[in-house]
Amino acid sequence: MKDKLCHIIDNNSEELINIGNHIFKNPELGFKEYKTSKIIQKYLKDLNIPIEENISITGLKATIGNGHGINIGIIAEMDAVPTGGHKYSSDDLGAAHTCAHSNQIAIMLAVMKALKESKILEEIGGTVTFIGAPAEEFTDIDYRESLIKEGKIKYCSGKQDMISKGVFDNIDLVISCHTMGGVEGRMTDINSSLNGFIQKTITYIGKAAHAGAAPHLGINALNAAVIGLTAVNAQRETFIDDHNIRVHGIIKNGGHTVNSIPEKVEIEAYVRGGDVQSIIDANHKVNRAFEAGAYAVGGKCLIKDRVGYMPLKQCEDLSKVIKNNMDKFIDEKNIIDGQKSMASGDIGDLASIIPTIQFGFSGFSGNVHGSDFSIVDEEMAYIIPAKIIAMSIYDLLKDHGKLSKEIKNNNIPRLSREEYLKSWLGC
């Protein structure tokens, strides 16, 4: 059966690679993935797979199988990320697929086609649900908050909004994958951790005055920001290494003209960490430091914190199933197990309520989120991950889903959906 699944993927490899490359060259930002969603919908409809559309604006859900027993969710993120200077950057804030979500889409479509054409689920039972998830990148926040005000979404992330809508309520296990980026050769990773984060906007309010003739009549908001950023840097030695704290930001608005004392300066920043309490503790220090900048010059500091993503803790038992099938394609020494990543993703939110994995795969050059990011090994970037997932689904569902049931029973989620919505998104 595994050979049959792989054979179908190989036979359709050119078609699937073309779909992935087309999406890669036509990026769309989160909650704006209209063209991307239509491509996915058409492909699944051509396979006669029923689809639930327009979830969280552009998201979708498609299910195959008997609707009974274990339901395995496979996730394809759809959005691009603002990336200046990329070859395929769109006009919308310079969006580009420099996180390779476009590849996820083609990979998961390949899995769905293999499962459908092989009729494997008719033989062994079980259910597989494809979820096209919008807006994984936590960007373009002003646009997303406008959608919240209009009542179109509740939360700034696609998976967060889908969780709140109950999209994952009937799913037992989740499989996702993500580019490793900038890794030479054929490599994969499993059990990698991700940081969680709080996103923040810091606005300094001063007083405008002529910068040359009467600076003493003004209050320099840019000086306040510089002092605040310096004070944040002074906190770094207090962060405990094991907490994986990362604090970083950009100045979005630094004043209107050189000839005037800046009266308003805006900073956008993240406070990342490896566990929720560490993030909260570090955020308190960072807020105190930013406020010090305003106090020093006699201005005001307004801080708006937004809940970002939860840290990712992967399901190790589910990762073992994936690794057993990686071995067929990747030399064991090239499978990285348990590395720490300081990046973040809303897959961490999903993992808090459902046993979840997100394995990594190579096939790219350049930096993730960088203008030099590109696909260099199409088989590794598309075909091999699809085969690994399809084969793993067979292992999980055979014998009446015995292995899946064991994994589910041995990996009780940290939170229920209601607890997650209240304790994280509600904080």
Side-chain angles (χ1 to χ4, degrees):
M1 288 303 299
K2 289 185 177 182
D3 287 343
K4 187 175 183 179
L5 291 167
C6 291
H7 184 65
I8 293 170
I9 292 171
D10 283 331
N11 283 349
N12 293 280
S13 61
E14 183 176 356
E15 171 190 53
L16 291 157
I17 289 170
N18 287 340
I19 289 173
N21 287 344
H22 175 79
I23 296 172
F24 183 78
K25 296 174 182 177
N26 294 275
E28 298 170 294
L29 291 182
F31 296 121
K32 302 176 183 177
E33 311 97 328
Y34 296 103
K35 295 177 182 178
T36 301
S37 186
K38 291 297 183 186
I39 291 170
I40 298 170
Q41 291 172 34
K42 183 181 184 307
Y43 193 85
L44 294 172
K45 286 177 180 177
D46 288 346
L47 292 173
N48 293 316
I49 298 174
I51 305 172
E52 184 181 348
E53 304 169 15
N54 305 318
I55 307 172
S56 300
I57 302 180
T58 54
L60 58 98
K61 182 176 182 179
T63 301
I64 56 175
N66 59 18
H68 303 292
I70 291 292
N71 186 353
I72 298 173
I74 57 175
I75 309 294
E77 295 160 346
M78 304 193 300
D79 61 324
V81 60
T83 310
H86 191 269
K87 181 178 180 180
Y88 297 115
S89 289
S90 72
D91 293 335
D92 188 5
L93 299 181
H97 271 298
T98 52
C99 226
H101 294 175
S102 50
N103 290 67
Q104 292 181 30
I105 294 167
I107 288 166
M108 297 309 183
L109 290 179
V111 172
M112 292 296 278
K113 184 152 193 171
L115 295 173
K116 180 70 174 181
E117 291 194 353
S118 68
K119 299 182 179 180
I120 181 176
L121 299 182
E122 296 176 16
E123 297 187 31
I124 64 174
T127 303
V128 175
T129 298
F130 173 104
I131 294 178
E136 187 276 332
E137 303 287 351
F138 208 83
T139 63
D140 203 8
I141 298 300
D142 290 343
Y143 171 72
R144 298 187 188 190
E145 290 196 331
S146 73
L147 295 176
I148 292 174
K149 289 179 182 178
E150 294 169 12
K152 295 180 178 178
I153 57 174
K154 291 184 178 180
Y155 302 102
C156 285
S157 135
K159 293 189 197 68
Q160 289 175 343
D161 200 62
M162 287 179 145
I163 290 170
S164 74
K165 290 178 167 63
V167 172
F168 298 96
D169 285 359
N170 65 340
I171 292 176
D172 300 294
L173 305 172
V174 171
I175 297 175
S176 181
C177 61
H178 200 287
T179 171
M180 296 171 72
V183 178
E184 294 185 3
R186 295 190 169 182
M187 300 187 70
T188 55
D189 72 54
I190 57 170
N191 290 320
S192 295
S193 65
L194 291 176
N195 272 356
F197 72 90
I198 290 174
Q199 189 266 2
K200 24 192 338 89
T201 300
I202 305 95
T203 304
Y204 288 100
I205 305 296
K207 184 179 180 180
H210 194 290
H216 60 286
L217 298 178
I219 297 175
N220 195 314
L222 185 57
N223 284 345
V226 170
I227 294 169
L229 288 167
T230 302
V232 169
N233 286 334
Q235 304 300 317
R236 297 188 189 279
E237 67 181 21
T238 73
F239 299 145
I240 298 171
D241 290 347
D242 288 345
H243 292 173
N244 304 333
I245 301 299
R246 291 287 188 274
V247 182
H248 53 95
I250 59 172
I251 296 179
K252 296 178 66 177
N253 171 23
H256 298 297
T257 173
V258 176
N259 206 32
S260 297
I261 295 296
E263 66 176 341
K264 182 179 179 181
V265 171
E266 188 175 72
I267 296 172
E268 184 176 330
Y270 279 12
V271 177
R272 303 183 194 251
D275 64 82
V276 171
Q277 191 57 51
S278 297
I279 297 169
I280 293 172
D281 292 344
N283 191 60
H284 173 72
K285 293 181 179 180
V286 169
N287 283 352
R288 186 180 63 202
F290 277 127
E291 289 166 355
Y295 181 80
V297 303
K300 295 180 180 179
C301 178
L302 308 176
I303 299 175
K304 181 175 182 179
D305 285 341
R306 299 176 181 87
V307 173
Y309 300 158
M310 293 195 73
L312 171 64
K313 180 174 176 55
Q314 303 210 36
C315 174
E316 294 187 10
D317 289 336
L318 190 51
S319 289
K320 289 177 183 177
V321 181
I322 292 288
K323 185 177 182 180
N324 286 338
N325 287 298
M326 282 179 177
D327 289 344
K328 313 297 189 298
F329 308 98
I330 307 297
D331 193 304
E332 187 171 359
K333 71 176 186 292
N334 290 331
I335 300 175
I336 303 170
D337 193 340
Q339 72 175 352
K340 287 185 177 181
S341 172
M342 307 304 171
S344 307
D346 57 3
I347 195 71
D349 293 58
L350 199 54
S352 72
I353 62 172
I354 305 171
T356 297
I357 61 160
Q358 179 175 272
F359 70 88
F361 58 98
S362 64
F364 308 87
S365 68
N367 292 328
V368 173
H369 290 198
S371 60
D372 59 347
F373 184 83
S374 63
I375 302 166
V376 295
D377 182 347
E378 292 181 335
E379 184 179 11
M380 187 64 220
Y382 290 112
I383 305 307
I384 289 176
K387 291 179 178 179
I388 291 169
I389 294 170
M391 294 164 67
S392 298
I393 288 173
Y394 173 77
D395 288 335
L396 290 165
L397 293 181
K398 69 181 182 180
D399 301 326
H400 306 289
K402 179 182 177 181
L403 181 56
S404 291
K405 292 173 184 175
E406 290 176 356
I407 293 173
K408 182 180 177 181
N409 291 336
N410 292 333
N411 293 272
I412 306 301
R414 288 172 284 164
L415 301 169
S416 67
R417 180 169 76 94
E418 291 72 22
E419 289 170 336
Y420 160 77
L421 293 172
K422 182 178 180 180
S423 65
W424 182 242
L425 294 187
C427 69

